[in-house]
C-alpha cells in the first residue's frame, strides 16, 4: 500500500465552484488575504487548495454565515499571472491533485489554512463501449468551441485531449454541465472514474433522452 501523502498548513481558497484535476480556473483577486496568498504561492512555486463552499461567501461581508466547505478539494497551480493595477491580480490556475481535509483553521486576516492528505490520482480507465457516445459528445462540444474561435488562452479545456479516458471525460463534462455544487463535489470525490462517467452519462441521458436512442 502507498504511504499517505500529507501537506501541512496548505492555504485554502473556499469558492462557489469545484476544481477538477486537469481543469482550468480563472480568478480575479482583490481581497488582501488572497492577494498575499497568491503572491506567496507564486514566488515559492507552491500550490493552494480550492475547496467548495457549503455555506458562507467568497468575499467577506458582515452578516454572512461563517464559512464551511466540503471535505475534498483540489490543489491549484498558478499557470498565468497578471497584476494590471495595485490591489488586483488576474490569475489562471490548473487543478492537479485531489486532497481530503484533516483539519482547518482561520488566521486573523481571514485566510483559511488546512492540513490535508493527498488522494490517489484517477487510474487510467478506457471508456467502455456503452459510454463511447458520452465521450464522442464531449469531442463534438470541443469542436464546436473551436469553431467559435475561442481564444487559446480562454479555451476552457486544456490539451492534450484524452477522450478515451473515463476520468478525463467525466471531469470535463462535470465542468461544463450546470450541476448543483454539492453534486459536482461528490462526483469529483468519487474514487472510481468509471462510476463518475456512468453518473455523468445518466445526467446527459435525462437532459437529452432523444440523443440516447440506439443507432
Amino acid at each position: 500500500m502507498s504511504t499517505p501523502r500529507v501537506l501541512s498548513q496548505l492555504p485554502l481558497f473556499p469558492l462557489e465552484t469545484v476544481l477538477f484535476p486537469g481543469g482550468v480556473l480563472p480568478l480575479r483577486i482583490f481581497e488582501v488575504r488572497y492577494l498575499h496568498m497568491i503572491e506567496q504561492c507564486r514566488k515559492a512555486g507552491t500550490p493552494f487548495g480550492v475547496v467548495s463552499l457549503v455555506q458562507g461567501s467568497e468575499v467577506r461581508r458582515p452578516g454572512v454565515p461563517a464559512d464551511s466547505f466540503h471535505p475534498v478539494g483540489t490543489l491549484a497551480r498558478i499557470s498565468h499571472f497578471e497584476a494590471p493595477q495595485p490591489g488586483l491580480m488576474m490569475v489562471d490556475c490548473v487543478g492537479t491533485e485531489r486532497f481530503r481535509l484533516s483539519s482547518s483553521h482561520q488566521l486573523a486576516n481571514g485566510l483559511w489554512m488546512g492540513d490535508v492528505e493527498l488522494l490517489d490520482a484517477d487510474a487510467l480507465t478506457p471508456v467502455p463501449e456503452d459510454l463511447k457516445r458520452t465521450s464522442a459528445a464531449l469531442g463534438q462540444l470541443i469542436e464546436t468551441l473551436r469553431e467559435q474561435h475561442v481564444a487559446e488562452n480562454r479555451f476552457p479545456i486544456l490539451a492534450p485531449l484524452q477522450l478515451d479516458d473515463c476520468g478525463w471525460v467525466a471531469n470535463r463534462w462535470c465542468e461544463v454541465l450546470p450541476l448543483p455544487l454539492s453534486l459536482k463535489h461528490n462526483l469529483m470525490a468519487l474514487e472510481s472514474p468509471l462510476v463518475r462517467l456512468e453518473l455523468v452519462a445518466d445526467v446527459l441521458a435525462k437532459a437529452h433522452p432523444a440523443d440516447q436512442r440506439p443507432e
Side-chain angles (χ1 to χ4, degrees), residues 15-211:
L15 293 169
E16 294 171 358
T17 191
V18 176
L19 177 62
F20 286 79
V24 181
L25 178 65
L27 293 171
R28 184 175 182 270
I29 310 292
F30 53 86
E31 282 195 84
V32 172
R33 55 178 169 167
Y34 295 129
L35 291 169
H36 182 64
M37 179 195 78
I38 292 295
E39 185 64 19
Q40 285 194 319
C41 289
R42 186 175 72 91
K43 286 183 176 178
T46 54
F48 58 92
V50 172
V51 287
S52 54
L53 284 163
V54 175
Q55 72 168 19
S57 174
E58 294 181 352
V59 180
R60 298 177 79 182
R61 294 193 301 267
V64 174
D67 291 344
S68 65
F69 29 82
H70 287 287
V72 177
T74 304
L75 297 182
R77 176 179 58 82
I78 297 170
S79 59
H80 180 74
F81 172 87
E82 291 182 29
Q85 63 188 56
L88 178 64
M89 294 177 179
M90 309 296 286
V91 179
D92 290 337
C93 304
V94 176
T96 59
E97 296 174 275
R98 296 175 301 165
F99 62 80
R100 185 177 299 277
L101 277 168
S102 303
S103 63
S104 61
H105 65 279
Q106 196 169 24
L107 303 180
N109 67 355
L111 182 67
W112 284 95
M113 306 292 288
D115 294 336
V116 308
E117 176 186 338
L118 299 182
L119 302 178
D120 290 337
D122 285 339
L124 184 63
T125 306
V127 176
E129 194 65 35
D130 63 325
L131 293 174
K132 285 187 176 178
R133 184 187 295 271
T134 305
S135 175
L138 178 63
Q140 291 170 1
L141 175 61
I142 292 169
E143 284 305 312
T144 299
L145 291 173
R146 285 175 171 163
E147 290 169 2
Q148 293 172 351
H149 304 292
V150 177
E152 189 67 27
N153 63 345
R154 295 292 95 187
F155 205 80
I157 296 176
L158 292 176
L161 305 186
Q162 300 173 51
L163 292 167
D164 57 350
D165 177 54
C166 283
W168 190 91
V169 173
N171 289 353
R172 303 296 77 82
W173 269 123
C174 288
E175 290 164 352
V176 300
L177 288 171
L179 304 175
L181 189 64
S182 59
L183 177 56
K184 286 197 178 194
H185 167 267
N186 292 342
L187 288 167
M188 183 269 289
L190 282 172
E191 291 185 10
S192 170
L194 175 58
V195 172
R196 192 183 311 137
L197 184 57
E198 288 173 337
L199 293 172
V200 167
D202 288 344
V203 171
L204 289 168
K206 290 175 183 177
H208 304 283
D211 294 341

